[in-house]
Amino acid sequence: MKHVERPSLEALTELADVDAWLIDGDHNWYTVHHELKAIHAACRRDGRPLLVFLHDVGWPTAHRDSYYAPDRIPAEYRQPYDFDAGVTLESETLVRGRGFRGMGHWAWSTKLGGPCNGVFTAIKDFLFANSAAGGKDLGWARIPAVFGLGVLFDSDASWSADVAQVLLPFHENPLLARLELNRLRNYLAVIEWQDRTAELEANKLVSG
């Protein structure tokens, strides 16, 4: 195993003969879409079948960008963003100082949905562009658990039928989706409790 300490879009073109890829990093349309393009090109160059695992294809980044380093995203692809506000299940708009948030470590797009916004949007746009260009048929599965796992693969690979058989029971599985929604509600409730406890402690310090 070799660690390459460089941004993915700089390093991917230099990697060769890769059997499988994992995308889990800067969760925004521009990064993911161009990672997929670079990986697809590398697989075609090396004569390797495409097999990509993608995390965070579900809520909250399916249709909302997040940025660890927004200055690395070209302005025309960068959504307006906020480092301090959080996302909730109840509101499409960000909530200041509440919800699931990066606490200064990452930013959310202030806008939900629309073109060039979110990880799942990036994948769908990649699939559409590949189909429009007459590329190989690609298999796709989305497992609605733990922020969502996506699997993208060449349909004509020697192992594609086996992979599809494994993935099919979990693809857009409604029971998993309900369990994930329950997990998210509990997760966000814990964040809310933590926020309220922090406020109470802060008020004690001020009054005490």
Side-chain angles (χ1 to χ4, degrees):
M1 182 177 292
K2 179 182 179 181
H3 174 65
V4 181
E5 194 171 345
R6 295 169 59 193
S8 60
L9 295 181
E10 295 178 9
L12 283 174
T13 56
E14 300 177 8
L15 302 179
D17 297 322
V18 177
D19 293 317
W21 309 77
L22 172 64
I23 294 180
D24 183 19
D26 203 20
H27 304 119
N28 58 75
W29 186 94
Y30 178 84
T31 302
V32 173
H33 187 74
H34 287 84
E35 284 172 335
L36 287 173
K37 289 176 65 176
I39 289 169
H40 186 257
C43 288
R44 296 298 172 259
R45 179 198 65 208
D46 298 337
R48 297 268 183 166
L50 182 75
L51 176 60
V52 188
F53 298 90
L54 303 104
H55 192 221
D56 295 281
V57 301
W59 189 92
T61 50
H63 303 293
R64 187 192 295 274
D65 275 1
S66 71
Y67 306 111
Y68 283 96
D71 56 304
R72 292 178 187 237
I73 309 299
E76 61 268 30
Y77 294 107
R78 188 176 60 234
Q79 304 288 340
Y81 60 90
D82 191 319
F83 270 98
D84 299 316
V87 292
T88 66
L89 290 168
E90 292 75 25
S91 175
E92 291 188 3
T93 58
L94 299 181
V95 181
R96 177 68 56 175
R98 283 286 188 266
F100 179 33
R101 58 196 187 278
M103 307 288 284
H105 295 287
W106 79 79
W108 291 117
S109 164
T110 60
K111 177 185 176 184
L112 175 66
C116 301
N117 197 7
V119 174
F120 191 35
T121 304
I123 298 165
K124 290 190 291 185
D125 289 347
F126 170 79
L127 287 168
F128 178 80
N130 177 73
S131 177
K136 286 185 177 182
D137 288 338
L138 298 176
W140 164 252
R142 184 164 74 149
I143 301 169
V146 195
F147 298 121
L149 172 68
V151 185
L152 187 64
F153 58 96
D154 274 333
S155 296
D156 64 355
S158 61
W159 39 255
S160 64
D162 293 329
V163 169
Q165 186 176 18
V166 170
L167 294 173
L168 185 59
F170 305 103
H171 173 61
E172 302 293 7
N173 184 290
L175 175 59
L176 287 180
R178 289 195 295 273
L179 290 171
E180 172 66 355
L181 179 59
N182 183 66
R183 186 192 73 85
L184 289 170
R185 284 173 174 158
N186 289 330
Y187 178 58
L188 291 166
V190 170
I191 294 175
E192 183 66 22
W193 295 339
Q194 290 173 336
D195 288 339
R196 290 178 179 175
T197 300
E199 285 182 355
L200 289 172
E201 293 299 323
N203 289 336
K204 286 180 183 177
L205 290 173
V206 171
S207 62

